[in-house]
Amino acid sequence: MADIKRPQMKPHVEAIHAYVPGKSKSSDGRALVKLSANENPLGTSPLALDALGRTGKPSDYPDPDATALREAIANAHGLDPARIVCGTGSGELLGYAVQAFAGVGDEVLFSRFSFSLYPLLPLKVGAKGVMADNRDFAADVEALLDKVGPATRVVLLDNPNNPTGAYLPRGEVVRLHAGLPADVLLVVDQAYAEYLPDGVDDGGFALAGKYDNVLVTRTFSKAYGLAAERIGWATGAPDLIGALNRLRGPFNVTTSGQRAAIAALADQGFVRDSCEHNALARASFVSAIDALGNHGLRAVPSEANFVLVLFEGGVSAESAMHAIAEAGYAVRHLPGQGLPHALRITVGTAGQMAEIADTLRRLCEGGK
Ligand SMILES: *Cc1c(COP(=O)(O)O)cnc(C)c1O
């Protein structure tokens, strides 16, 4: 076949299966309420919306260094703006963290039930993804450390975890870091950290402030309600930030995105409301699921804005997903992640969650 005359994709690129986003349509094409992508059911802070609406100067490139946004983030979290880099969503920055430190022959380690983007990141750079087993749907520090070898370059930890909602407390994160060689990068992906109760902190910022091998990522896509604008950020040692700055596009965060994020940071009341709403709606949904325990339904304890519901009795996750779609909602079935018996359901409004709970109750009780 020496005479094939077309561009030949690199095998490691061909091996990539594209990221599967949350659905918003039923199989017969009806629009569904999207509880499949962990978006904020309260929407966006009015201050951020106002900032988005203010006309800027679209003919000019954005501030390439997102200077004002980095300062606002630093102020909000007590960090050094020189140790912050902004990205087109934190997903982009996670990719650069892997690209900067892993390549052909290297390994990138993560837990079995963690962010579905993680297995794609090593593939993009020709590295190998390695999965460690979980314990009770949470990252297991022993299992992760067991998989660390001479080829390990990066460890990815989402905390709270997506799709299970499990949270690894500070002591466990410290133990994981302490067990890693100093030349292995630990990335603590805190996409859902805003949903943790007041005062609960996995210590990621403290580790990233102290050690050269810890990077923490955050996003404006979840509690801040700005997923459409694609804004995330990372903090860590100057060399880590330098690596990400080398790889990112020079104008990667738009002017409107920078402005909206600054306004969103200034409206902590909105974040608090989002959090309080989430805690209440999640608790009542979980008790509705608990009440169906005799039908084999079980909610994995969640610290995030979604609940992983396990179907371990006569009702399958698939039939539940169809019934929920009939009722008008898209939720996430994750057989590709080894969770054919589970649905990840984003916490929507109280009314939406009550309707989904009713749908599941009727399905369990065999009626309509
Ligand atoms: C949603 C999510 C992100 C954030 O993605 P963005 O690119 O910032 O929108 C990062 N990590 C995890 C685990 C997530 O679930």
Side-chain angles (χ1 to χ4, degrees), residues 19 37-38 87-94 114-118 157-163 189-192 217-222 226-228 230-233 305-306 344:
Y19 178 81
N38 303 341
T88 309
S90 55
E92 180 190 51
L93 298 171
L94 293 168
S114 56
F115 191 20
S116 58
L117 182 66
Y118 293 169
L157 176 77
D158 50 352
N159 200 30
N161 172 282
N162 172 12
D189 172 356
Q190 298 185 339
Y192 300 97
T217 61
R218 289 267 184 136
T219 183
F220 284 92
S221 298
K222 307 288 161 53
L226 283 169
R230 315 300 308 120
I231 316 148
W233 56 278
N305 66 340
F306 52 84
R344 191 197 68 190

mmCIF file of all heavy atoms in Angstrom, residues 19 37-38 87-94 114-118 157-163 189-192 217-222 226-228 230-233 305-306 344, ligand 1:
data_model
loop_
_atom_site.group_PDB
_atom_site.id
_atom_site.type_symbol
_atom_site.label_atom_id
_atom_site.label_comp_id
_atom_site.label_asym_id
_atom_site.label_seq_id
_atom_site.Cartn_x
_atom_site.Cartn_y
_atom_site.Cartn_z
ATOM 1 N N TYR A 19 -14.829 13.005 22.814
ATOM 2 C CA TYR A 19 -15.553 13.197 24.076
ATOM 3 C C TYR A 19 -17.062 13.190 23.805
ATOM 4 O O TYR A 19 -17.523 13.800 22.830
ATOM 5 C CB TYR A 19 -15.140 14.542 24.695
ATOM 6 C CG TYR A 19 -15.853 14.880 25.976
ATOM 7 C CD1 TYR A 19 -15.437 14.349 27.184
ATOM 8 C CD2 TYR A 19 -16.941 15.741 25.970
ATOM 9 C CE1 TYR A 19 -16.083 14.664 28.362
ATOM 10 C CE2 TYR A 19 -17.598 16.064 27.149
ATOM 11 C CZ TYR A 19 -17.167 15.517 28.345
ATOM 12 O OH TYR A 19 -17.823 15.831 29.498
ATOM 13 N N ALA A 37 -25.378 17.498 31.977
ATOM 14 C CA ALA A 37 -24.072 18.158 31.807
ATOM 15 C C ALA A 37 -23.667 18.995 33.014
ATOM 16 O O ALA A 37 -22.744 19.805 32.921
ATOM 17 C CB ALA A 37 -24.079 19.014 30.540
ATOM 18 N N ASN A 38 -24.362 18.796 34.151
ATOM 19 C CA ASN A 38 -23.982 19.464 35.401
ATOM 20 C C ASN A 38 -23.949 20.988 35.310
ATOM 21 O O ASN A 38 -23.117 21.653 35.938
ATOM 22 C CB ASN A 38 -22.637 18.923 35.911
ATOM 23 C CG ASN A 38 -22.680 17.428 36.107
ATOM 24 O OD1 ASN A 38 -23.760 16.846 36.210
ATOM 25 N ND2 ASN A 38 -21.529 16.789 36.168
ATOM 26 N N GLY A 87 -7.784 29.596 31.067
ATOM 27 C CA GLY A 87 -7.926 28.758 29.878
ATOM 28 C C GLY A 87 -9.318 28.810 29.298
ATOM 29 O O GLY A 87 -10.252 29.342 29.912
ATOM 30 N N THR A 88 -9.443 28.244 28.105
ATOM 31 C CA THR A 88 -10.740 28.102 27.440
ATOM 32 C C THR A 88 -11.448 26.907 28.089
ATOM 33 O O THR A 88 -11.501 25.822 27.529
ATOM 34 C CB THR A 88 -10.515 27.882 25.928
ATOM 35 O OG1 THR A 88 -9.640 28.905 25.448
ATOM 36 C CG2 THR A 88 -11.813 27.959 25.165
ATOM 37 N N GLY A 89 -11.944 27.127 29.278
ATOM 38 C CA GLY A 89 -12.446 26.038 30.110
ATOM 39 C C GLY A 89 -11.266 25.373 30.800
ATOM 40 O O GLY A 89 -10.122 25.464 30.327
ATOM 41 N N SER A 90 -11.544 24.713 31.947
ATOM 42 C CA SER A 90 -10.427 24.030 32.610
ATOM 43 C C SER A 90 -10.036 22.778 31.841
ATOM 44 O O SER A 90 -8.909 22.292 31.964
ATOM 45 C CB SER A 90 -10.747 23.714 34.071
ATOM 46 O OG SER A 90 -11.935 22.972 34.172
ATOM 47 N N GLY A 91 -10.947 22.270 31.009
ATOM 48 C CA GLY A 91 -10.623 21.104 30.183
ATOM 49 C C GLY A 91 -9.399 21.368 29.316
ATOM 50 O O GLY A 91 -8.532 20.500 29.159
ATOM 51 N N GLU A 92 -9.325 22.582 28.756
ATOM 52 C CA GLU A 92 -8.170 22.930 27.925
ATOM 53 C C GLU A 92 -6.884 22.853 28.757
ATOM 54 O O GLU A 92 -5.860 22.315 28.309
ATOM 55 C CB GLU A 92 -8.331 24.347 27.366
ATOM 56 C CG GLU A 92 -7.159 24.752 26.488
ATOM 57 C CD GLU A 92 -7.137 26.238 26.095
ATOM 58 O OE1 GLU A 92 -7.256 27.110 26.970
ATOM 59 O OE2 GLU A 92 -6.977 26.501 24.908
ATOM 60 N N LEU A 93 -6.939 23.375 29.966
ATOM 61 C CA LEU A 93 -5.739 23.404 30.813
ATOM 62 C C LEU A 93 -5.326 22.002 31.259
ATOM 63 O O LEU A 93 -4.134 21.696 31.357
ATOM 64 C CB LEU A 93 -5.986 24.317 32.018
ATOM 65 C CG LEU A 93 -6.263 25.784 31.638
ATOM 66 C CD1 LEU A 93 -6.704 26.572 32.860
ATOM 67 C CD2 LEU A 93 -5.039 26.428 30.991
ATOM 68 N N LEU A 94 -6.309 21.139 31.515
ATOM 69 C CA LEU A 94 -5.987 19.746 31.864
ATOM 70 C C LEU A 94 -5.213 19.098 30.719
ATOM 71 O O LEU A 94 -4.241 18.369 30.931
ATOM 72 C CB LEU A 94 -7.275 18.954 32.151
ATOM 73 C CG LEU A 94 -8.060 19.371 33.395
ATOM 74 C CD1 LEU A 94 -9.446 18.729 33.393
ATOM 75 C CD2 LEU A 94 -7.315 18.993 34.660
ATOM 76 N N SER A 114 -13.724 8.255 36.961
ATOM 77 C CA SER A 114 -13.445 9.684 37.093
ATOM 78 C C SER A 114 -13.832 10.373 35.792
ATOM 79 O O SER A 114 -14.456 9.761 34.921
ATOM 80 C CB SER A 114 -11.993 9.916 37.516
ATOM 81 O OG SER A 114 -11.093 9.319 36.615
ATOM 82 N N PHE A 115 -13.474 11.630 35.649
ATOM 83 C CA PHE A 115 -13.936 12.460 34.521
ATOM 84 C C PHE A 115 -13.682 11.757 33.182
ATOM 85 O O PHE A 115 -12.552 11.320 32.915
ATOM 86 C CB PHE A 115 -13.190 13.786 34.579
ATOM 87 C CG PHE A 115 -13.709 14.862 33.661
ATOM 88 C CD1 PHE A 115 -14.998 14.838 33.132
ATOM 89 C CD2 PHE A 115 -12.884 15.941 33.337
ATOM 90 C CE1 PHE A 115 -15.456 15.853 32.310
ATOM 91 C CE2 PHE A 115 -13.336 16.966 32.517
ATOM 92 C CZ PHE A 115 -14.622 16.915 31.997
ATOM 93 N N SER A 116 -14.723 11.676 32.350
ATOM 94 C CA SER A 116 -14.616 10.918 31.098
ATOM 95 C C SER A 116 -13.635 11.548 30.107
ATOM 96 O O SER A 116 -13.252 10.919 29.126
ATOM 97 C CB SER A 116 -15.994 10.775 30.455
ATOM 98 O OG SER A 116 -16.551 12.050 30.206
ATOM 99 N N LEU A 117 -13.224 12.781 30.362
ATOM 100 C CA LEU A 117 -12.204 13.411 29.518
ATOM 101 C C LEU A 117 -10.807 12.807 29.775
ATOM 102 O O LEU A 117 -9.963 12.770 28.868
ATOM 103 C CB LEU A 117 -12.168 14.927 29.800
ATOM 104 C CG LEU A 117 -11.189 15.785 28.988
ATOM 105 C CD1 LEU A 117 -11.565 15.812 27.515
ATOM 106 C CD2 LEU A 117 -11.149 17.217 29.534
ATOM 107 N N TYR A 118 -10.574 12.327 31.003
ATOM 108 C CA TYR A 118 -9.208 11.918 31.381
ATOM 109 C C TYR A 118 -8.589 10.867 30.446
ATOM 110 O O TYR A 118 -7.437 11.019 30.047
ATOM 111 C CB TYR A 118 -9.158 11.431 32.833
ATOM 112 C CG TYR A 118 -9.409 12.503 33.876
ATOM 113 C CD1 TYR A 118 -9.620 12.155 35.210
ATOM 114 C CD2 TYR A 118 -9.435 13.849 33.538
ATOM 115 C CE1 TYR A 118 -9.849 13.125 36.180
ATOM 116 C CE2 TYR A 118 -9.668 14.825 34.504
ATOM 117 C CZ TYR A 118 -9.872 14.443 35.819
ATOM 118 O OH TYR A 118 -10.105 15.397 36.775
ATOM 119 N N LEU A 157 -6.709 13.858 39.428
ATOM 120 C CA LEU A 157 -7.678 13.562 40.498
ATOM 121 C C LEU A 157 -8.781 14.606 40.454
ATOM 122 O O LEU A 157 -8.529 15.790 40.693
ATOM 123 C CB LEU A 157 -6.982 13.616 41.867
ATOM 124 C CG LEU A 157 -7.899 13.425 43.076
ATOM 125 C CD1 LEU A 157 -8.265 11.952 43.264
ATOM 126 C CD2 LEU A 157 -7.251 13.964 44.352
ATOM 127 N N ASP A 158 -10.013 14.202 40.141
ATOM 128 C CA ASP A 158 -11.116 15.172 40.222
ATOM 129 C C ASP A 158 -11.776 15.043 41.594
ATOM 130 O O ASP A 158 -12.164 13.969 42.021
ATOM 131 C CB ASP A 158 -12.119 15.045 39.063
ATOM 132 C CG ASP A 158 -12.605 13.627 38.821
ATOM 133 O OD1 ASP A 158 -12.071 12.683 39.436
ATOM 134 O OD2 ASP A 158 -13.536 13.464 38.007
ATOM 135 N N ASN A 159 -11.868 16.181 42.281
ATOM 136 C CA ASN A 159 -12.326 16.164 43.675
ATOM 137 C C ASN A 159 -13.161 17.404 43.966
ATOM 138 O O ASN A 159 -12.611 18.504 43.955
ATOM 139 C CB ASN A 159 -11.107 16.107 44.607
ATOM 140 C CG ASN A 159 -11.470 15.615 45.989
ATOM 141 O OD1 ASN A 159 -12.396 14.826 46.147
ATOM 142 N ND2 ASN A 159 -10.753 16.094 46.981
ATOM 143 N N PRO A 160 -14.500 17.268 44.201
ATOM 144 C CA PRO A 160 -15.297 16.063 44.077
ATOM 145 C C PRO A 160 -15.177 15.410 42.695
ATOM 146 O O PRO A 160 -14.864 16.070 41.726
ATOM 147 C CB PRO A 160 -16.738 16.557 44.314
ATOM 148 C CG PRO A 160 -16.596 17.771 45.149
ATOM 149 C CD PRO A 160 -15.312 18.407 44.704
ATOM 150 N N ASN A 161 -15.462 14.112 42.698
ATOM 151 C CA ASN A 161 -15.326 13.296 41.505
ATOM 152 C C ASN A 161 -16.571 13.385 40.608
ATOM 153 O O ASN A 161 -17.699 13.415 41.084
ATOM 154 C CB ASN A 161 -15.107 11.845 41.957
ATOM 155 C CG ASN A 161 -15.144 10.874 40.811
ATOM 156 O OD1 ASN A 161 -16.209 10.512 40.320
ATOM 157 N ND2 ASN A 161 -13.985 10.448 40.378
ATOM 158 N N ASN A 162 -16.331 13.411 39.317
ATOM 159 C CA ASN A 162 -17.382 13.270 38.320
ATOM 160 C C ASN A 162 -17.120 11.948 37.601
ATOM 161 O O ASN A 162 -16.008 11.789 37.076
ATOM 162 C CB ASN A 162 -17.295 14.452 37.334
ATOM 163 C CG ASN A 162 -18.213 14.301 36.142
ATOM 164 O OD1 ASN A 162 -19.082 13.452 36.123
ATOM 165 N ND2 ASN A 162 -18.015 15.146 35.138
ATOM 166 N N PRO A 163 -17.992 10.988 37.549
ATOM 167 C CA PRO A 163 -19.440 11.062 37.741
ATOM 168 C C PRO A 163 -19.992 10.573 39.077
ATOM 169 O O PRO A 163 -21.209 10.439 39.192
ATOM 170 C CB PRO A 163 -19.935 10.114 36.649
ATOM 171 C CG PRO A 163 -18.926 9.015 36.657
ATOM 172 C CD PRO A 163 -17.605 9.695 36.956
ATOM 173 N N ASP A 189 -8.260 18.500 40.222
ATOM 174 C CA ASP A 189 -9.287 19.135 39.392
ATOM 175 C C ASP A 189 -10.485 19.435 40.290
ATOM 176 O O ASP A 189 -11.254 18.540 40.636
ATOM 177 C CB ASP A 189 -9.620 18.159 38.256
ATOM 178 C CG ASP A 189 -10.812 18.580 37.403
ATOM 179 O OD1 ASP A 189 -11.460 19.598 37.700
ATOM 180 O OD2 ASP A 189 -11.095 17.852 36.425
ATOM 181 N N GLN A 190 -10.619 20.707 40.664
ATOM 182 C CA GLN A 190 -11.664 21.113 41.624
ATOM 183 C C GLN A 190 -12.871 21.738 40.932
ATOM 184 O O GLN A 190 -13.391 22.762 41.385
ATOM 185 C CB GLN A 190 -11.083 22.105 42.637
ATOM 186 C CG GLN A 190 -9.951 21.533 43.497
ATOM 187 C CD GLN A 190 -9.483 22.508 44.558
ATOM 188 O OE1 GLN A 190 -9.691 23.714 44.434
ATOM 189 N NE2 GLN A 190 -8.823 21.997 45.597
ATOM 190 N N ALA A 191 -13.339 21.115 39.859
ATOM 191 C CA ALA A 191 -14.446 21.698 39.079
ATOM 192 C C ALA A 191 -15.710 21.915 39.924
ATOM 193 O O ALA A 191 -16.522 22.785 39.607
ATOM 194 C CB ALA A 191 -14.763 20.811 37.876
ATOM 195 N N TYR A 192 -15.874 21.121 40.993
ATOM 196 C CA TYR A 192 -17.105 21.211 41.791
ATOM 197 C C TYR A 192 -16.842 21.722 43.209
ATOM 198 O O TYR A 192 -17.697 21.593 44.086
ATOM 199 C CB TYR A 192 -17.797 19.831 41.832
ATOM 200 C CG TYR A 192 -18.151 19.355 40.443
ATOM 201 C CD1 TYR A 192 -17.330 18.476 39.748
ATOM 202 C CD2 TYR A 192 -19.284 19.835 39.799
ATOM 203 C CE1 TYR A 192 -17.631 18.075 38.449
ATOM 204 C CE2 TYR A 192 -19.600 19.443 38.504
ATOM 205 C CZ TYR A 192 -18.761 18.562 37.837
ATOM 206 O OH TYR A 192 -19.071 18.180 36.552
ATOM 207 N N THR A 217 -6.898 22.935 39.286
ATOM 208 C CA THR A 217 -7.711 23.587 38.252
ATOM 209 C C THR A 217 -9.107 23.873 38.797
ATOM 210 O O THR A 217 -9.637 23.139 39.632
ATOM 211 C CB THR A 217 -7.842 22.718 36.987
ATOM 212 O OG1 THR A 217 -8.480 21.483 37.328
ATOM 213 C CG2 THR A 217 -6.491 22.437 36.354
ATOM 214 N N ARG A 218 -9.678 24.972 38.328
ATOM 215 C CA ARG A 218 -11.037 25.390 38.676
ATOM 216 C C ARG A 218 -11.756 25.823 37.400
ATOM 217 O O ARG A 218 -11.115 26.103 36.403
ATOM 218 C CB ARG A 218 -10.991 26.585 39.637
ATOM 219 C CG ARG A 218 -10.511 26.255 41.030
ATOM 220 C CD ARG A 218 -11.706 25.950 41.910
ATOM 221 N NE ARG A 218 -11.296 25.716 43.286
ATOM 222 C CZ ARG A 218 -11.931 26.226 44.351
ATOM 223 N NH1 ARG A 218 -12.971 27.024 44.191
ATOM 224 N NH2 ARG A 218 -11.535 25.925 45.562
ATOM 225 N N THR A 219 -13.070 25.952 37.470
ATOM 226 C CA THR A 219 -13.835 26.342 36.289
ATOM 227 C C THR A 219 -14.941 27.342 36.638
ATOM 228 O O THR A 219 -15.430 27.358 37.772
ATOM 229 C CB THR A 219 -14.461 25.105 35.617
ATOM 230 O OG1 THR A 219 -15.142 25.514 34.439
ATOM 231 C CG2 THR A 219 -15.448 24.398 36.535
ATOM 232 N N PHE A 220 -15.315 28.146 35.665
ATOM 233 C CA PHE A 220 -16.497 29.004 35.772
ATOM 234 C C PHE A 220 -17.725 28.334 35.166
ATOM 235 O O PHE A 220 -18.774 28.934 35.038
ATOM 236 C CB PHE A 220 -16.229 30.356 35.101
ATOM 237 C CG PHE A 220 -15.361 31.268 35.931
ATOM 238 C CD1 PHE A 220 -13.984 31.273 35.777
ATOM 239 C CD2 PHE A 220 -15.925 32.094 36.898
ATOM 240 C CE1 PHE A 220 -13.176 32.098 36.552
ATOM 241 C CE2 PHE A 220 -15.130 32.917 37.678
ATOM 242 C CZ PHE A 220 -13.758 32.923 37.508
ATOM 243 N N SER A 221 -17.575 27.060 34.759
ATOM 244 C CA SER A 221 -18.666 26.387 34.028
ATOM 245 C C SER A 221 -19.765 25.841 34.933
ATOM 246 O O SER A 221 -20.862 25.576 34.459
ATOM 247 C CB SER A 221 -18.114 25.218 33.213
ATOM 248 O OG SER A 221 -17.192 25.659 32.246
ATOM 249 N N LYS A 222 -19.498 25.628 36.208
ATOM 250 C CA LYS A 222 -20.469 24.917 37.034
ATOM 251 C C LYS A 222 -21.183 25.899 37.968
ATOM 252 O O LYS A 222 -22.141 26.516 37.575
ATOM 253 C CB LYS A 222 -19.785 23.766 37.775
ATOM 254 C CG LYS A 222 -18.992 22.826 36.830
ATOM 255 C CD LYS A 222 -19.879 21.953 35.976
ATOM 256 C CE LYS A 222 -19.243 21.342 34.719
ATOM 257 N NZ LYS A 222 -18.014 20.597 34.865
ATOM 258 N N LEU A 226 -21.276 29.801 33.871
ATOM 259 C CA LEU A 226 -20.756 30.429 32.645
ATOM 260 C C LEU A 226 -20.189 29.393 31.665
ATOM 261 O O LEU A 226 -19.221 29.682 30.942
ATOM 262 C CB LEU A 226 -19.670 31.451 33.007
ATOM 263 C CG LEU A 226 -20.177 32.798 33.554
ATOM 264 C CD1 LEU A 226 -19.019 33.620 34.117
ATOM 265 C CD2 LEU A 226 -20.904 33.593 32.476
ATOM 266 N N ALA A 227 -20.818 28.215 31.608
ATOM 267 C CA ALA A 227 -20.262 27.135 30.771
ATOM 268 C C ALA A 227 -20.109 27.565 29.309
ATOM 269 O O ALA A 227 -19.151 27.186 28.639
ATOM 270 C CB ALA A 227 -21.140 25.885 30.868
ATOM 271 N N ALA A 228 -21.037 28.366 28.817
ATOM 272 C CA ALA A 228 -20.987 28.757 27.397
ATOM 273 C C ALA A 228 -19.790 29.639 27.087
ATOM 274 O O ALA A 228 -19.325 29.681 25.941
ATOM 275 C CB ALA A 228 -22.275 29.487 27.004
ATOM 276 N N ARG A 230 -16.738 29.342 28.357
ATOM 277 C CA ARG A 230 -15.501 28.553 28.343
ATOM 278 C C ARG A 230 -14.370 29.251 29.101
ATOM 279 O O ARG A 230 -13.414 29.744 28.501
ATOM 280 C CB ARG A 230 -15.046 28.222 26.894
ATOM 281 C CG ARG A 230 -16.103 27.753 25.926
ATOM 282 C CD ARG A 230 -16.792 26.471 26.379
ATOM 283 N NE ARG A 230 -15.851 25.424 26.713
ATOM 284 C CZ ARG A 230 -15.765 24.856 27.926
ATOM 285 N NH1 ARG A 230 -16.575 25.221 28.912
ATOM 286 N NH2 ARG A 230 -14.897 23.919 28.150
ATOM 287 N N ILE A 231 -14.488 29.301 30.425
ATOM 288 C CA ILE A 231 -13.412 29.907 31.207
ATOM 289 C C ILE A 231 -13.040 29.003 32.371
ATOM 290 O O ILE A 231 -13.885 28.630 33.182
ATOM 291 C CB ILE A 231 -13.819 31.280 31.798
ATOM 292 C CG1 ILE A 231 -14.556 32.117 30.769
ATOM 293 C CG2 ILE A 231 -12.584 32.053 32.296
ATOM 294 C CD1 ILE A 231 -15.575 33.009 31.386
ATOM 295 N N GLY A 232 -11.774 28.671 32.450
ATOM 296 C CA GLY A 232 -11.251 27.918 33.581
ATOM 297 C C GLY A 232 -9.926 28.521 33.968
ATOM 298 O O GLY A 232 -9.421 29.425 33.307
ATOM 299 N N TRP A 233 -9.344 28.025 35.057
ATOM 300 C CA TRP A 233 -8.029 28.523 35.460
ATOM 301 C C TRP A 233 -7.289 27.460 36.258
ATOM 302 O O TRP A 233 -7.894 26.482 36.723
ATOM 303 C CB TRP A 233 -8.131 29.839 36.231
ATOM 304 C CG TRP A 233 -8.996 29.837 37.468
ATOM 305 C CD1 TRP A 233 -10.357 29.972 37.509
ATOM 306 C CD2 TRP A 233 -8.561 29.716 38.835
ATOM 307 N NE1 TRP A 233 -10.800 29.944 38.814
ATOM 308 C CE2 TRP A 233 -9.717 29.794 39.646
ATOM 309 C CE3 TRP A 233 -7.321 29.564 39.437
ATOM 310 C CZ2 TRP A 233 -9.651 29.710 41.037
ATOM 311 C CZ3 TRP A 233 -7.257 29.486 40.828
ATOM 312 C CH2 TRP A 233 -8.425 29.561 41.614
ATOM 313 N N ASN A 305 -22.927 18.699 42.178
ATOM 314 C CA ASN A 305 -24.259 19.139 41.736
ATOM 315 C C ASN A 305 -24.927 18.083 40.859
ATOM 316 O O ASN A 305 -25.645 18.409 39.924
ATOM 317 C CB ASN A 305 -24.172 20.492 41.009
ATOM 318 C CG ASN A 305 -23.415 20.389 39.701
ATOM 319 O OD1 ASN A 305 -22.645 19.448 39.497
ATOM 320 N ND2 ASN A 305 -23.623 21.347 38.806
ATOM 321 N N PHE A 306 -24.645 16.828 41.182
ATOM 322 C CA PHE A 306 -25.283 15.707 40.491
ATOM 323 C C PHE A 306 -25.289 14.530 41.439
ATOM 324 O O PHE A 306 -24.586 14.538 42.460
ATOM 325 C CB PHE A 306 -24.524 15.359 39.201
ATOM 326 C CG PHE A 306 -23.048 15.163 39.433
ATOM 327 C CD1 PHE A 306 -22.557 13.941 39.867
ATOM 328 C CD2 PHE A 306 -22.162 16.224 39.262
ATOM 329 C CE1 PHE A 306 -21.201 13.770 40.114
ATOM 330 C CE2 PHE A 306 -20.797 16.056 39.512
ATOM 331 C CZ PHE A 306 -20.324 14.823 39.940
ATOM 332 N N ARG A 344 -26.195 9.222 35.947
ATOM 333 C CA ARG A 344 -25.757 10.445 36.617
ATOM 334 C C ARG A 344 -26.788 11.521 36.311
ATOM 335 O O ARG A 344 -27.030 11.860 35.158
ATOM 336 C CB ARG A 344 -24.378 10.879 36.108
ATOM 337 C CG ARG A 344 -23.757 12.000 36.960
ATOM 338 C CD ARG A 344 -22.633 12.700 36.243
ATOM 339 N NE ARG A 344 -23.134 13.458 35.122
ATOM 340 C CZ ARG A 344 -22.361 14.032 34.190
ATOM 341 N NH1 ARG A 344 -21.069 13.918 34.244
ATOM 342 N NH2 ARG A 344 -22.906 14.714 33.207
HETATM 343 C C1 LIG B 1 -17.182 20.046 34.111
HETATM 344 C C2 LIG B 1 -15.843 19.564 34.517
HETATM 345 C C3 LIG B 1 -14.697 20.325 34.242
HETATM 346 C C4 LIG B 1 -14.786 21.696 33.666
HETATM 347 O O1 LIG B 1 -14.815 21.753 32.316
HETATM 348 P P1 LIG B 1 -14.684 23.175 31.602
HETATM 349 O O2 LIG B 1 -13.773 22.862 30.463
HETATM 350 O O3 LIG B 1 -14.066 24.144 32.563
HETATM 351 O O4 LIG B 1 -16.056 23.555 31.207
HETATM 352 C C5 LIG B 1 -13.473 19.860 34.686
HETATM 353 N N1 LIG B 1 -13.379 18.718 35.356
HETATM 354 C C6 LIG B 1 -14.446 17.974 35.662
HETATM 355 C C7 LIG B 1 -14.296 16.745 36.481
HETATM 356 C C8 LIG B 1 -15.711 18.364 35.230
HETATM 357 O O5 LIG B 1 -16.779 17.614 35.508
#
